[in-house]
Amino acid sequence: EEKFPLIFALHGGGGKAKGAIEIYNLEPLADKNNFIIVYPDAVNKAWNIPGMASRVKKLNTNVDDVKFISILLDTMIEEYKVNDKKVFCTGLSRGGMFSYYLADALNDRITAIAPVCGGISKTMETTYSFKKPIPVLMINGTADPLVNYNGGFGKMNNRNEGNEDANLLPTEELLKKIIELNQCNAKPET
């Protein structure tokens, strides 16, 4: 019985699955390469990431989005012939940040991540770890005003200024941390 790779395509903060479908446009690629894409919706348009502030005013910190993704993955494996050894996450902005978080929180279930314009907070840095190495395709832009390449609060998160949970790690520092966690000798490509 054939089983298929799965990609969780996670929307950004303030967004919804419908917008991610339009922006990411992964369907042609999925059809060509026989994989399944799931575009889940976060409660109140923001993934709950402990240790990570949100610019979305109605962030519900009681929501367990890791459990949600885990149960959704169980359902996809059971009902839709998903290959549990080929489970990937991508997302833009808050979706990218949640991809990073899932690489830690569901490290035994996620195969690789490709966060776009994402990062982790300085608060998260102290406990961020991988039980096993995980491939990461990190895509951040030096001209991004929302998720600043050099870290900090970014334009859209400045209302949280002073809150360490909103202070993002600089991209180069996050890259070094991931290289260290993956125990590899990779040279950053800039």
Side-chain angles (χ1 to χ4, degrees):
E1 172 180 39
E2 185 176 9
K3 295 194 175 192
F4 303 96
L6 170 72
I7 296 177
F8 285 113
L10 308 166
H11 64 76
K16 296 187 90 171
K18 185 177 184 207
I21 292 167
E22 293 169 11
I23 294 167
Y24 301 170
N25 192 30
L26 293 171
E27 287 72 25
L29 192 62
D31 290 343
K32 182 180 176 186
N33 295 289
N34 292 324
F35 60 86
I36 297 170
I37 307 167
V38 174
Y39 294 94
D41 263 326
V43 172
N44 295 332
K45 301 181 180 180
W47 302 106
N48 181 27
I49 308 168
M52 180 77 92
S54 172
R55 67 181 182 86
V56 175
K57 292 177 182 152
K58 295 181 181 177
L59 177 67
N60 186 337
T61 56
N62 295 315
V63 172
D64 188 343
D65 281 323
V66 171
K67 184 175 182 181
F68 167 58
I69 294 296
S70 190
I71 290 170
L72 184 54
L73 178 54
D74 290 338
T75 303
M76 295 303 297
I77 291 167
E78 191 174 312
E79 302 287 329
Y80 296 97
K81 300 179 185 174
V82 164
N83 181 340
D84 67 349
K85 304 286 187 248
K86 294 185 177 182
V87 178
F88 307 95
C89 291
T90 190
L92 177 65
S93 193
R94 186 95 181 164
M97 294 169 191
F98 192 48
S99 294
Y100 281 117
Y101 186 65
L102 290 172
D104 175 358
L106 292 179
N107 183 262
D108 57 334
R109 305 197 74 192
I110 303 298
T111 308
I113 62 170
V116 179
C117 303
I120 66 171
S121 70
K122 290 194 175 190
T123 305
M124 289 175 64
E125 178 189 18
T126 56
T127 58
Y128 192 74
S129 66
F130 299 158
K131 293 178 198 97
K132 67 168 179 56
I134 185 166
V136 176
L137 172 62
M138 179 187 295
I139 304 170
N140 283 19
T142 55
D144 185 344
L146 306 180
V147 179
N148 192 306
Y149 188 87
N150 295 314
F153 298 94
K155 184 178 175 187
M156 296 299 282
N157 217 16
N158 58 8
R159 72 178 177 86
N160 289 314
E161 203 151 337
N163 177 353
E164 281 299 301
D165 290 356
N167 189 3
L168 294 182
L169 203 61
T171 300
E172 298 291 333
E173 285 183 37
L174 178 55
L175 180 60
K176 286 177 187 167
K177 181 158 186 75
I178 288 174
I179 288 169
E180 178 186 300
L181 291 174
N182 279 330
Q183 302 169 0
C184 62
N185 296 319
K187 299 284 184 229
E189 214 176 285
T190 54

